[in-house]
Amino acid sequence: MPHFSFSLFRQEARANLRLALPLIAAQISFVSMGSVDTIVAGRMGEAELAAVAVGANIWFFFFVLFMGLFMACSPIVAQRVGANRPALETGAFVRGAALLSLGAGLLWMLLVRLLLDPALDLLALQAETRGYARDYLVVVSWAAVPFCIGFVARNAAEGYGLTKVALMAGLTGFLVNAVFACVLGFGWFGFPRMGVTGCAWATVLAAIAMLMVYGWVYWRLTVLRSLQVFRRGPLWPDPATRREVAEVIQLGGPIAAILSAEAWLFLGGALMMARFGDAVVAAHQVAINFASITFMVPMSVGMATAVRVGHAVGAGAPQEVRLRGQSGMVLGMIFALISASIMALLPRVIVDIYTDVASVAEMAVGFLYFAALFQLFDCVQATANGALRGLKDTRIPMLITVSAYWVVGVPLAAWLAFGTPVGPNGIWCGFIAGLGVASVGLSLRFLSKSRRLLPQAKGSELMS
């Protein structure tokens, strides 16, 4: 069995970070789009701000679901690249996946429009806020199709290790969203003042702009142009390609469930925090927002790890599979120690960026200590999940993750918060416990799975 040496780790860490750094910037740009809408809406009024907050959260649930589904394209393409499969075959797969994404985008738009009224009714919003939120969701649903097709284009490019493509698209989307949220929201330069719906149209335009960037890159970049995704051919792919496109659903469904389980874990925590009053909610939001921003780093390292592992699997190099997966997890642990140290040593500096309300700041500092410990497990589970995606192993990780969050994390958080004197700190303890179980389970799963891939004798092949 190969030893995990520092020299090998250093080489692999450099290769991983070359892929991950553009993804980090791309993810931050992507997340910042929502922040822009929130800032713009906050300048319009309380009802508008509440409407965008509610609408964005409902939209985000579907966004995570469909983004997770098409994240499966990255390891599928990566394994093809590692195996030196013909570019035209991969191009046929990408076209088939894009056709699937078109249908998924239409389904996403339909689901938002069908479910928005029942969802808003459950929230019992004030009439003005409800009206703004409904208008926002109706308009932003037009972004579903370009986003879905963009997910395929992005993940296919990442499968080739071309992570700067996501950065180009992310920055373009952020700039378009920022400009048009202001222009349409406030009615600048002679445009009508559209308010909340202006923010929604800005998101739609950003999604279209990002898709145009992907189209330009697939037309101009030599590696991606060789796929000939724009070539004329039959609308429906051949049977072999259809089977491979179906793999997107088989692999992507569990990925979507993993991301949704984590998103709803934090949403559930926020709803439980609401029982303790506005100040506690505000303090919790400060800590969780900062933790969410720092999470973009291990999430991106996990994406890069999925590509690196996928290439090694396709090339039939099981020792490299193990090295690359372990290296990704070690990088996650290193960043976790750095970010946790910053939170533990400089909590007051961080909190002062968000608020100057003394009562909120004091609680937020306390929550950041919990967030520091939370980071240690969150970074490991994100990178371990990435390594397993590279192996196309998603079903068992889904069971591990969902069980960790919703069988361990949420019940423990609720019991500690409402059944003991621990109070709101118990919700963070539940988060930490759930993420801890997930990180241990996913790490052991990768180590076990990759160990079975190691050849026992010459000529051994990778196990499926």
Side-chain angles (χ1 to χ4, degrees):
M1 182 178 296
H3 295 289
F4 185 79
S5 70
F6 177 74
S7 61
L8 289 175
F9 164 72
R10 185 172 57 186
Q11 294 173 18
E12 176 55 30
R14 287 175 179 170
N16 188 302
L17 289 174
R18 277 197 296 270
L19 298 181
L21 289 175
L23 290 176
I24 294 168
Q27 288 300 119
I28 292 174
S29 297
F30 223 52
V31 170
S32 298
M33 288 171 60
S35 300
V36 167
D37 286 351
T38 302
I39 292 169
V40 171
R43 303 289 180 183
M44 296 175 185
E46 183 178 342
E48 287 87 347
L49 176 59
V52 168
V54 169
N57 275 308
I58 294 173
W59 173 253
F60 181 71
F61 168 72
F62 291 102
F63 185 93
V64 167
L65 196 67
F66 287 95
M67 180 181 72
L69 179 66
F70 292 105
M71 282 176 70
C73 293
S74 177
I76 292 173
V77 172
Q79 291 195 16
R80 285 168 163 268
V81 172
N84 288 317
R85 293 277 293 274
L88 288 180
E89 288 186 12
T90 302
F93 164 77
V94 173
R95 286 197 304 275
L99 187 63
L100 176 65
S101 71
L102 173 62
L106 292 172
L107 175 62
W108 179 1
M109 182 167 64
L110 180 64
L111 287 173
V112 169
R113 295 189 175 207
L114 287 176
L115 298 177
L116 67 87
D117 283 323
L120 294 174
D121 288 342
L122 284 174
L123 295 174
L125 302 170
Q126 293 183 2
E128 185 181 18
T129 302
R130 187 191 188 283
Y132 286 143
R134 191 183 192 284
D135 292 342
Y136 178 89
L137 284 166
V138 168
V139 171
V140 83
S141 67
W142 287 105
V145 170
F147 268 134
C148 267
I149 299 174
F151 292 152
V152 171
R154 170 183 171 162
N155 283 286
E158 287 177 13
Y160 275 90
L162 301 172
T163 54
K164 290 181 181 179
V165 173
L167 175 58
M168 291 171 59
L171 288 175
T172 300
F174 170 74
L175 290 173
V176 170
N177 186 78
V179 170
F180 282 97
C182 294
V183 170
L184 299 179
F186 297 129
W188 290 356
F189 306 116
F191 283 86
R193 180 184 174 92
M194 301 175 69
V196 166
T197 56
C199 294
W201 280 118
T203 300
V204 174
L205 292 172
I208 294 171
M210 292 170 69
L211 186 58
M212 292 173 66
V213 170
Y214 288 125
W216 181 82
V217 169
Y218 273 79
W219 179 255
R220 297 293 300 173
L221 200 61
T222 302
V223 174
L224 296 178
R225 189 171 186 173
S226 68
L227 303 181
Q228 297 187 30
V229 295
F230 300 114
R231 69 182 296 189
R232 291 187 178 182
L235 180 62
W236 300 105
D238 60 83
T241 304
R242 284 203 299 270
R243 286 192 295 271
E244 292 176 320
V245 171
E247 192 178 14
V248 173
I249 298 174
Q250 295 168 6
L251 295 179
I255 297 172
I258 289 170
L259 295 182
S260 298
E262 186 166 7
W264 281 91
L265 169 70
F266 297 131
L267 179 58
L271 292 175
M272 286 189 280
M273 283 288 181
R275 298 280 298 274
F276 293 97
D278 291 346
V280 174
V281 171
H284 172 75
Q285 182 61 25
V286 168
I288 202 69
N289 182 262
F290 187 78
S292 298
I293 293 171
T294 58
F295 179 69
M296 294 300 103
V297 176
M299 182 179 184
S300 300
V301 171
M303 291 176 175
T305 302
V307 174
R308 295 290 296 164
V309 169
H311 286 170
V313 171
Q319 294 185 358
E320 284 295 310
V321 169
R322 191 169 176 84
L323 170 66
R324 293 176 181 190
Q326 288 178 322
S327 297
M329 288 188 283
V330 171
L331 281 174
M333 292 172 64
I334 291 171
F335 177 76
L337 291 172
I338 294 171
S339 60
S341 297
I342 292 172
M343 292 182 196
L345 297 175
L346 302 171
R348 181 64 63 178
V349 174
I350 295 169
V351 170
D352 286 346
I353 296 172
Y354 287 87
T355 183
D356 56 3
V357 179
S359 59
V360 173
E362 198 62 37
M363 283 187 287
V365 167
F367 287 155
L368 273 175
Y369 290 125
F370 286 100
L373 184 56
F374 162 103
Q375 280 283 295
L376 297 177
F377 298 116
D378 205 14
C379 290
V380 174
Q381 71 82 21
T383 49
N385 245 323
L388 289 164
R389 284 199 305 274
L391 290 169
K392 294 184 179 179
D393 183 23
T394 59
R395 292 183 183 178
I396 299 301
M398 175 190 69
L399 295 176
I400 292 171
T401 304
V402 173
S403 298
Y405 296 161
W406 289 92
V407 176
V408 176
V410 171
L412 180 61
W415 176 69
L416 288 173
F418 305 118
T420 74
V422 175
N425 288 340
I427 296 172
W428 280 90
C429 291
F431 285 172
I432 293 167
L435 288 167
V437 171
S439 64
V440 171
L442 293 168
S443 298
L444 292 176
R445 173 68 178 175
F446 176 77
L447 293 175
S448 172
K449 187 85 172 174
S450 61
R451 185 182 297 116
R452 294 201 300 270
L453 297 179
L454 292 171
Q456 302 301 315
K458 284 188 177 181
S460 293
E461 295 181 353
L462 287 175
M463 297 174 62
S464 59

